[in-house]
Amino acid sequence: MSTETPPSRADTVVIGAGAVGCSVAYHLTELGAEDVVVIDQGPLPVTGGSSVHAPGIMFQTSPSKIQTKTAHYTSRLLSDAGVYDEVGGIEVARSEERMDFLRRRVEWATSYGLPEPQLLSPEEVTEHLPLVDEDEILGGYYSPTDGRVDGIGALQWYMEHSSASFYGNTEVTDLDVSGGEINAIETDQGRIDCDRAVIATNNWGYQTGQLAGLDLPIAPVEHQYVVTEPMEELADAESSVGDNTTGLDVPGDRSIAEYMSEGPHQPVGRDQDHSLYFRTHGDALGMGSYNHETLSVDPEAMGKNTEELQASVRGFTKEHWETPTHRGRDKSAKQAFDELLPATQDVEYEATENGIFVFTPDGMPAVGETAQVDGLWTGLAIWWTHSGGYGRILAEWMENGTPRLPSGPVDTGGIHVRRFEPHAGEKDYFVDRGAKRYEQVYSIVEPRWQPDDHRKLRTSPFYHQQKELGAEFYQSGGWETPQWYESNADLVEKYEDRIPDQDGWQGINRSKIEAAEHLHTREKVSMFDMTTFSSIMVEGEGSQAFLQRVCSNDMDLDVGQVRYSLLLNEGGGILADITVVKLDDEEFMVTTGGGNSPGIHGGHLEDEAPATVSVHVEEGAKSTIGLWGPNARLLLQRCTDADVTNDGFQYFRAKQMYVGDVPVIALRVSYVGELGWELWAPTEYGQRLWETLQDAGEDLGIRPMGGGALSSMRLEKGYRLWGTDIDTDSNPFEAGLPFAVDLDTEFIGKAALETAREEGIDSKITPLTLDDSTDIMLGGRPVLKDGDAIGYVQAGNYGYSLGESIAYTYVPTEHAEAGTSVQIQCEGETYDATVRDEPLFDPTRDRIIR
């Protein structure tokens, strides 16, 4: 640790010396990085950020694999460091709905490898937590390796065990990003030239980003916490309060830092039915609350440390503690705590705070290198719970090009800073969405839940037709995307005998119309709105050579040829699956999905392109229709003079042609396993394209289809979905995509794949079908063999054409043989299932290439 003036030059500068910044610096230097400097506006180690006012409670279980994995890594790292109290964690249920939720916790923990997750009876809960009123609860979920991190102690440990240099009381005043890259960090202590930098300022993340011209969607909110006076019921516990921060420079109220440094002797607890949590602080009890209206903080007005307050702490608002202000809760925090923990009813509070921390619009971290500024990385919206893991991931990413934990590569699609849509940086938008995520922290969020604010941000040219047809719109990447159409309700009766009921949790926010659209498409013809999908134009001298370097497949294409390929990172992980279309010499169209794909995948191609190659991400520039089904050719031929016969327009070929009077780039590809085309037209022609196909197909049974049908149809066929079945945590061989790899060519990630081929793979993706149930399996639920978890559900749906419930999973290769019997746990039930060969539907591809 250093207290001198920062140097004028460093290879890497980490801005922020909290949980994330210190973790990144520690892991960078562990991996061999040299000349790493960490700076913070506050004193060290008590900087005044959220890391030093947080109670440090760590509940590791999450429906997100990466959140669970990073939490477990953090707990092991900090336990080994001696700054983690592994007292266990218990979440109690005060409703039947919450007990169902706790069963899901056990399933997620089992899937993602947490040790010994278990459900407890009320009596067993109170054996661990005697302050809890047994009559108030129905049971609990226990994770024995949960606990509490000593925040200040952990920061000190990081600083003492890293070769990085740390400098406090150093305020960043500007970022020099001229030429599209980070050049220097300007501070009130002088300029620091650097090659790369990490923004780890969390509560100040938006403000720091603004210095580089970035609109990072980081929304600060206030959060309540109190610590009681010493309680008679906890008198047997030792307490060092008064001595914990001796000799440290502590901004603001020292009592907060004192109590946060006092460890628990009982398990940490949560009452999510009332948005509450609690832990002991020696002989006192700490109680935290999300049970109040969201108290958003202007992200441009976070402020600095003062003698009265830490910079990220606001004054305690008693009314939010004693009055029900949360829209989803009918009791105040105090009332709910008084009922659950009766001994707290009349106690006084020794310390109180409204502490600040942050949320992104989707509630997940923002990690990775920014698209706009080369060498500028972020590690934001990360709590103590996950900080060690994300610090390791970011360091590996920066040093070795592959985000990973010691357990292996990780998927980054849901955490990448580039995933945010163009509108996400607008302050009202991300503050409102961050407020909603705060409100939902302990809520039971239904499958397929949809927000009701900031809607209709992005609509396709077909929106008005879709609305007239009764589209049920879901939002994806800001786009309004139909999930099903009420105009197709008449089809449900037609296919009623092939559509099983889907009850319970798995059936929430689903419609039988989705199934009917699936079956209709297999028999007739349907139109699917693909406008959310992205086209990326790659043009200029050396375009083919460039694509060959970034694509895993052979890019030596003829004009009009289409090829499926992958983009890989240096470790062979799948950054994206793409379709490459050669339109002309040195002119290509690359197509990929919507949502976060344009920012992540388009940004990757832009980063890798040489000066002679133009990469233009056409997000929203084209309106696209997927025309699929047995009648697709007959319909299309009515609308065009081009030859669309099987001989004249073969599978995986493309033509520039007219549909009616609309110019389109037509690709003969299908994501549903049926004869069909993708028709890509300039956006201004979209409405006419829809009308042309609709009018020409009336007698052929043309219908619109939504995303629900697409999901079940693609799963029947075994087509992969990036971010669900494939991501940076799998290589092409594990993902069953060896046909998308040509090792006779040179491409990024080739060396890693050659090694993987030589060593063989330990696991592979495989479909399962349920033996005797039509229930739909949900993602993240464990797959078992002889009682042991061997994988988890990546994606599940009902195969309406097959009449079987399908789940895709990665399993060890010794269990991947077709016919192997396994079990799946989902919603508290255990289902028998069987490993199957893929594809399950139309294995000869007769329906596609007819």
Side-chain angles (χ1 to χ4, degrees):
M1 187 187 305
S2 175
T3 57
E4 301 173 356
T5 303
S8 59
R9 158 120 188 99
D11 289 345
T12 305
V13 177
V14 179
I15 307 170
V20 179
C22 286
S23 174
V24 171
Y26 168 80
H27 286 100
L28 280 172
T29 56
E30 281 286 289
L31 293 173
E34 298 179 347
D35 197 15
V36 177
V37 165
V38 185
I39 57 177
D40 198 287
Q41 65 178 345
L44 301 181
V46 190
T47 62
S50 56
S51 298
V52 294
H53 73 63
I57 290 175
M58 289 180 58
F59 291 94
Q60 301 167 83
T61 310
S62 169
S64 162
K65 175 184 176 182
I66 194 168
Q67 291 285 84
T68 303
K69 290 287 189 181
T70 52
H72 192 57
Y73 175 86
T74 303
S75 73
R76 300 307 90 200
L77 172 71
L78 299 181
S79 178
D80 291 344
V83 292
Y84 181 69
D85 300 301
E86 191 173 295
V87 291
I90 296 177
E91 304 173 30
V92 300
R94 297 172 77 176
S95 66
E96 292 290 351
E97 293 79 10
R98 185 63 61 178
M99 276 305 301
D100 289 341
F101 177 81
L102 297 186
R103 293 184 184 96
R104 292 176 206 130
R105 306 292 271 183
V106 173
E107 291 170 0
W108 293 326
T110 302
S111 290
Y112 305 142
L114 290 185
E116 300 178 29
Q118 54 195 279
L119 292 178
L120 303 180
S121 67
E123 296 79 10
E124 290 170 324
V125 169
T126 55
E127 287 176 10
H128 292 283
L129 294 172
L131 290 180
V132 170
D133 184 347
E134 187 177 298
D135 295 333
E136 281 290 319
I137 62 174
L138 301 179
Y141 164 65
Y142 180 49
S143 175
T145 57
D146 287 352
R148 167 263 181 184
V149 58
D150 175 0
I152 295 174
L155 296 180
Q156 289 175 308
W157 182 85
Y158 276 132
M159 294 176 189
E160 292 167 359
H161 289 80
S162 170
S163 61
S165 300
F166 295 79
Y167 300 90
N169 299 309
T170 302
E171 181 182 352
V172 174
T173 58
D174 201 6
L175 301 181
D176 180 351
V177 295
S178 57
E181 60 184 3
I182 187 70
N183 300 303
I185 312 299
E186 301 280 0
T187 81
D188 60 356
Q189 302 296 315
R191 176 184 172 95
I192 310 174
D193 292 323
C194 62
D195 299 323
R196 60 186 185 182
V198 180
I199 298 176
T201 50
N202 235 31
N203 295 344
W204 292 265
Y206 177 77
Q207 287 178 284
T208 311
Q210 289 285 287
L211 298 178
L214 304 178
D215 296 324
L216 298 174
I218 308 298
V221 294
E222 296 181 34
H223 173 67
Q224 293 199 302
Y225 197 80
V226 305
V227 183
T228 70
E229 63 186 349
M231 296 176 60
E232 181 179 346
E233 293 82 357
L234 302 173
D236 291 341
E238 297 180 359
S239 176
S240 300
V241 172
D243 300 323
N244 289 321
T245 61
T246 300
L248 298 178
D249 184 358
V250 177
D253 184 355
R254 183 175 289 269
S255 67
I256 293 174
E258 275 291 323
Y259 276 105
M260 297 309 171
S261 298
E262 189 70 24
H265 64 286
Q266 295 179 0
V268 296
R270 284 206 286 204
D271 170 17
Q272 297 187 81
D273 282 312
H274 296 89
S275 298
L276 307 175
Y277 64 92
F278 53 95
R279 78 165 177 90
T280 56
H281 297 252
D283 58 1
L285 186 71
M287 298 179 284
S289 169
Y290 295 89
N291 188 353
H292 54 81
E293 63 182 339
T294 306
L295 303 173
S296 296
V297 176
D298 184 346
E300 296 184 274
M302 268 301 303
K304 305 175 184 178
N305 290 326
T306 68
E307 291 185 6
E308 293 77 25
L309 289 174
Q310 293 181 19
S312 61
V313 172
R314 297 290 189 267
F316 185 72
T317 49
K318 187 177 180 181
E319 64 271 22
H320 291 106
W321 187 257
E322 298 183 350
T323 305
T325 60
H326 188 294
R327 289 190 298 179
R329 304 286 180 251
D330 59 0
K331 297 176 182 179
S332 70
K334 186 177 188 325
Q335 182 182 356
F337 269 130
D338 285 350
E339 293 172 352
L340 183 68
L341 309 171
T344 67
Q345 288 183 15
D346 299 317
V347 298
E348 299 293 328
Y349 302 146
E350 293 288 322
T352 61
E353 65 170 350
N354 278 17
I356 299 173
F357 61 158
V358 297
F359 287 85
T360 60
D362 60 12
M364 292 294 282
V367 179
E369 187 175 19
T370 63
Q372 300 89 337
V373 182
D374 291 345
L376 184 60
W377 296 70
T378 63
L380 296 168
I382 299 168
W383 301 358
W384 261 118
T385 304
H386 314 99
S387 57
Y390 281 120
R392 175 64 180 262
I393 289 169
L394 192 54
E396 290 274 8
W397 206 347
M398 294 172 69
E399 281 294 289
N400 302 318
T402 303
R404 61 182 297 124
L405 291 168
S407 57
V410 298
D411 56 336
T412 55
I415 62 169
H416 204 307
V417 69
R418 298 188 184 190
R419 74 184 184 275
F420 299 112
E421 312 88 0
H423 58 268
E426 197 278 320
K427 193 163 67 167
D428 286 344
Y429 175 85
F430 73 74
V431 168
D432 289 347
R433 284 293 169 89
K436 186 65 177 179
R437 293 299 175 180
Y438 181 90
E439 181 183 292
Q440 290 180 323
V441 165
Y442 284 173
S443 298
I444 299 174
V445 181
E446 295 178 341
R448 300 186 179 192
W449 170 85
Q450 290 291 299
D452 55 13
D453 65 337
H454 297 281
R455 298 299 296 262
K456 301 180 184 178
L457 282 168
R458 311 169 88 179
T459 58
S460 82
F462 320 130
Y463 177 77
H464 294 293
Q465 285 104 323
Q466 293 167 340
K467 193 172 181 181
E468 290 176 0
L469 292 167
E472 179 68 22
F473 289 106
Y474 281 18
Q475 193 175 69
S476 174
W479 290 98
E480 296 295 335
T481 62
Q483 190 70 6
W484 67 81
Y485 293 84
E486 287 296 331
S487 61
N488 290 327
D490 63 302
L491 295 174
V492 174
E493 184 176 355
K494 176 181 178 181
Y495 297 110
E496 188 172 12
D497 61 332
R498 299 172 65 184
I499 305 175
D501 291 332
Q502 299 294 343
D503 299 320
W505 190 252
Q506 294 104 308
I508 292 176
N509 294 324
R510 300 184 69 92
S511 170
K512 289 188 175 182
I513 298 174
E514 299 169 78
E517 290 175 356
H518 171 137
L519 293 167
H520 174 84
T521 305
R522 294 269 188 245
E523 291 187 4
K524 300 289 186 179
V525 62
S526 294
M527 292 190 294
F528 178 76
D529 180 4
M530 295 179 60
T531 301
T532 60
F533 288 52
S534 296
S535 57
I536 304 169
M537 302 306 296
V538 179
E539 303 173 84
E541 183 182 349
S543 293
Q544 184 159 311
F546 159 64
L547 286 172
Q548 186 61 78
R549 186 171 64 82
V550 296
C551 291
S552 62
N553 215 337
D554 184 8
M555 289 295 109
D556 185 11
L557 307 177
D558 297 328
V559 172
Q561 196 169 0
V562 178
R563 182 148 292 163
Y564 179 77
S565 185
L566 306 171
L567 304 179
L568 307 177
N569 60 26
E570 294 289 353
I574 302 172
L575 287 170
D577 64 331
I578 60 174
T579 301
V580 181
V581 186
K582 186 169 185 177
L583 300 175
D584 205 343
D585 291 340
E586 306 294 10
E587 182 183 359
F588 298 83
M589 184 172 79
V590 177
T591 70
T592 184
N596 55 17
S597 294
I600 298 175
H601 307 151
H604 174 74
L605 292 176
E606 289 172 334
D607 288 348
E608 296 293 336
T612 61
V613 174
S614 167
V615 175
H616 178 54
V617 182
E618 294 188 316
E619 190 174 12
K622 289 188 172 73
S623 53
T624 309
I625 290 177
L627 184 69
W628 298 312
N631 291 341
R633 175 178 287 117
L634 180 56
L635 192 160
L636 186 59
Q637 191 66 79
R638 291 178 178 181
C639 305
T640 184
D641 293 332
D643 183 358
V644 297
T645 63
N646 196 40
D647 290 336
F649 200 151
Q650 297 179 355
Y651 189 54
F652 261 64
R653 301 290 295 188
K655 286 186 178 181
Q656 298 187 62
M657 64 188 208
Y658 294 95
V659 175
D661 47 11
V662 176
V664 303
I665 299 173
L667 281 58
R668 191 175 164 196
V669 296
S670 169
Y671 192 54
V672 297
E674 292 293 336
L675 172 68
W677 285 261
E678 294 178 4
L679 304 174
W680 296 72
T683 296
E684 63 270 24
Y685 289 99
Q687 187 168 341
R688 177 59 67 86
L689 178 62
W690 180 286
E691 292 168 350
T692 300
L693 295 171
Q694 179 67 49
D695 291 345
E698 289 286 353
D699 63 319
L700 298 176
I702 191 166
R703 298 273 187 145
M705 63 170 272
L710 184 81
S711 174
S712 56
M713 294 180 80
R714 76 97 188 169
L715 208 63
E716 281 188 333
K717 191 61 180 170
Y719 290 147
R720 308 299 189 244
L721 177 62
W722 186 82
T724 299
D725 315 317
I726 55 174
D727 208 316
T728 44
D729 61 351
S730 56
N731 69 43
F733 305 136
E734 296 166 330
L737 299 173
F739 61 89
V741 176
D742 187 340
L743 289 174
D744 290 331
T745 64
E746 297 297 324
F747 55 87
I748 295 171
K750 176 181 177 179
L753 292 194
E754 288 178 327
T755 300
R757 185 178 63 173
E758 292 171 5
E759 295 179 350
I761 58 173
D762 296 325
S763 66
K764 63 177 292 188
I765 196 168
T766 186
L768 312 174
T769 55
L770 299 190
D771 293 348
D772 52 12
S773 176
T774 59
D775 289 351
I776 290 175
M777 299 295 94
L778 300 176
R781 306 312 173 91
V783 176
L784 310 175
K785 180 66 177 175
D786 299 326
D788 296 324
I790 59 171
Y792 61 91
V793 176
Q794 301 283 148
N797 213 317
Y798 190 76
Y800 298 98
S801 309
L802 300 169
E804 296 182 283
S805 184
I806 305 166
Y808 263 80
T809 180
Y810 287 84
V811 297
T813 51
E814 62 266 29
H815 299 304
E817 184 177 351
T820 301
S821 296
V822 296
Q823 296 79 41
I824 302 174
Q825 288 183 341
C826 185
E827 289 302 294
E829 294 190 33
T830 300
Y831 297 84
D832 292 327
T834 301
V835 174
R836 301 279 297 276
D837 286 326
E838 63 173 347
L840 297 169
F841 179 77
D842 188 29
T844 60
R845 300 200 306 168
D846 291 342
R847 301 178 70 90
I848 297 175
I849 61 176
R850 64 174 100 186

